Amino acid sequence: MKTAVRMAKDNTLAVIFADFKEITKVRLAVSVVFSSVAGYFLGAYEVTISAIFLLAFGGYCMVGASNAFNQVIERDLDALMKRTRNRPIPAGRVSVSMAMTIAVALSLLGIVTLYLLNPKTAMFGAISIFLYTSVYTPLKTKTPLAVFVGALPGAIPFMLGWVAATNEFGIEPGTLFMIQFFWQFPHFWALGWMLHDDYKKGGFKMLPTGKKDAGTALQIIMYTVWMMVISVIPVFGITGRLSLSIPAAILIFLMGGVMLFFAFRLYIKRDTATARKLMLASVSYITLMQIIYVIDKFI
């Protein structure tokens, strides 16, 4: 009997933990934390474990809060789409009030934690939550420009790490912001292409032309080129303390070329399989690019 009760409790806790991970989008949150920590290493004069912990914990809270608010707002639309109908709120496993409690608690915890680093870091974290939940989320059903708005909070994490390390905002974190800002367009438009039919069920307008057509593919190509150019700008020595060696710049540019290859392939083939390859290439690019930047600083 005791064993059965213990097993039931364990199963319940596993479900609660799984729903918490889903409502905070743990994989997305971890990738954002990774970007922030990379930015911290680039900006730090001296690396401290306590600062990394505060940045990682506070960053996860901020991303988790944004995602929880998002799922509260979009709960009825999520129920219409195949990829989201089993999320905790539309599936009925988590109530709206509980999700709001989680979102508010994570917001406060995240802002306080980031404030312990410095006020500017907390400010940018709060701005990120506001833009994502109050501007980007409502616009997703109104206009394709929502992706542009969403790219603003999405570009903050890489920059946030530098600000956390220095308590300063200048050309260096501004450059990191622009790199991640332009990267998001080919990434999310490739994702939007893959999920276009499902997004239509929820009324989301995620592609720039509203269609899987040549116009959308052409814009993906254009933004990929801009991303490639901005990613290597530090090699020219015009971005303050943020620098990049010639070998690192060449490697990053070649990685961007892989994305550009798939962008051109998408323009030619216009199929879901190529969009998926572009999306996966973009995920690899942003992670490897940040790793190269950090390694290049310390070697």
Side-chain angles (χ1 to χ4, degrees):
M1 182 66 179
K2 289 183 179 179
T3 301
V5 171
R6 188 180 302 111
M7 289 178 62
K9 287 182 178 179
D10 289 344
N11 289 335
T12 300
L13 289 174
V15 170
I16 292 173
F17 184 60
D19 284 339
F20 178 81
K21 291 194 297 181
E22 179 70 19
I23 209 165
T24 59
K25 293 186 181 178
V26 64
R27 285 185 293 181
L28 173 61
V30 169
S31 70
V32 169
V33 168
F34 181 88
S35 293
S36 298
V37 172
Y40 172 84
F41 276 110
L42 293 176
Y45 293 100
E46 181 181 352
V47 174
T48 63
I49 298 300
S50 59
I52 293 175
F53 174 79
L54 290 173
L55 179 62
F57 181 75
Y60 189 98
C61 288
M62 302 300 273
V63 180
S66 296
N67 290 325
F69 280 126
N70 174 266
Q71 290 183 47
V72 168
I73 296 168
E74 294 181 348
R75 61 190 183 277
D76 293 333
L77 301 179
D78 281 347
L80 302 175
M81 296 183 291
K82 182 178 180 181
R83 73 181 188 90
T84 55
R85 65 179 56 153
N86 196 44
R87 283 178 173 174
I89 301 175
R93 297 191 304 275
V94 175
S95 66
V96 172
S97 60
M98 176 56 70
M100 279 296 295
T101 300
I102 292 172
V104 172
L106 288 176
S107 297
L108 296 174
L109 193 57
I111 291 173
V112 170
T113 302
L114 294 181
Y115 189 85
L116 294 176
L117 288 167
N118 58 66
K120 286 189 179 69
T121 304
M123 178 190 71
F124 281 120
I127 289 173
S128 177
I129 290 180
F130 173 78
L131 287 176
Y132 190 87
T133 60
S134 301
V135 185
Y136 166 66
T137 296
L139 281 179
K140 287 165 66 178
T141 58
K142 306 296 182 184
T143 172
L145 287 174
V147 174
F148 178 87
V149 176
L152 296 173
I156 286 178
F158 201 16
M159 172 203 80
L160 192 71
W162 186 290
V163 177
T166 64
N167 195 26
E168 297 174 357
F169 181 83
I171 186 66
E172 299 94 344
T175 302
L176 298 180
F177 177 90
M178 293 304 294
I179 292 171
Q180 197 150 348
F181 176 80
F182 280 98
W183 166 81
Q184 288 178 92
F185 293 94
H187 173 73
F188 281 108
W189 284 336
L191 186 63
W193 191 296
M194 291 166 48
L195 302 172
H196 181 64
D197 293 337
D198 210 24
Y199 276 134
K200 284 176 64 177
K201 295 176 184 177
F204 294 123
K205 305 178 187 298
M206 302 303 291
L207 297 179
T209 66
K211 303 175 184 177
K212 298 190 289 185
D213 59 7
T216 289
L218 183 60
Q219 291 198 49
I220 289 174
I221 291 171
M222 292 171 58
Y223 277 90
T224 302
V225 170
W226 275 111
M227 177 204 74
M228 292 172 65
V229 171
I230 294 169
S231 293
V232 298
I233 278 181
V235 77
F236 298 106
I238 59 175
T239 54
R241 285 203 301 121
L242 182 65
S243 61
L244 197 63
S245 68
I246 292 176
I250 292 172
L251 182 56
I252 288 172
F253 196 79
L254 290 175
M255 291 192 314
V258 175
M259 282 184 60
L260 188 61
F261 168 78
F262 286 119
F264 273 110
R265 290 274 291 176
L266 185 62
Y267 181 82
I268 295 169
K269 300 186 73 172
R270 299 177 201 168
D271 64 342
T272 300
T274 305
R276 181 180 297 276
K277 291 176 182 177
L278 173 59
M279 188 274 293
L280 293 174
S282 70
V283 172
S284 298
Y285 175 85
I286 196 68
T287 303
L288 293 174
M289 178 272 296
Q290 291 168 347
I291 291 173
I292 290 170
Y293 260 89
V294 173
I295 292 175
D296 191 59
K297 174 186 174 179
F298 290 101
I299 62 173

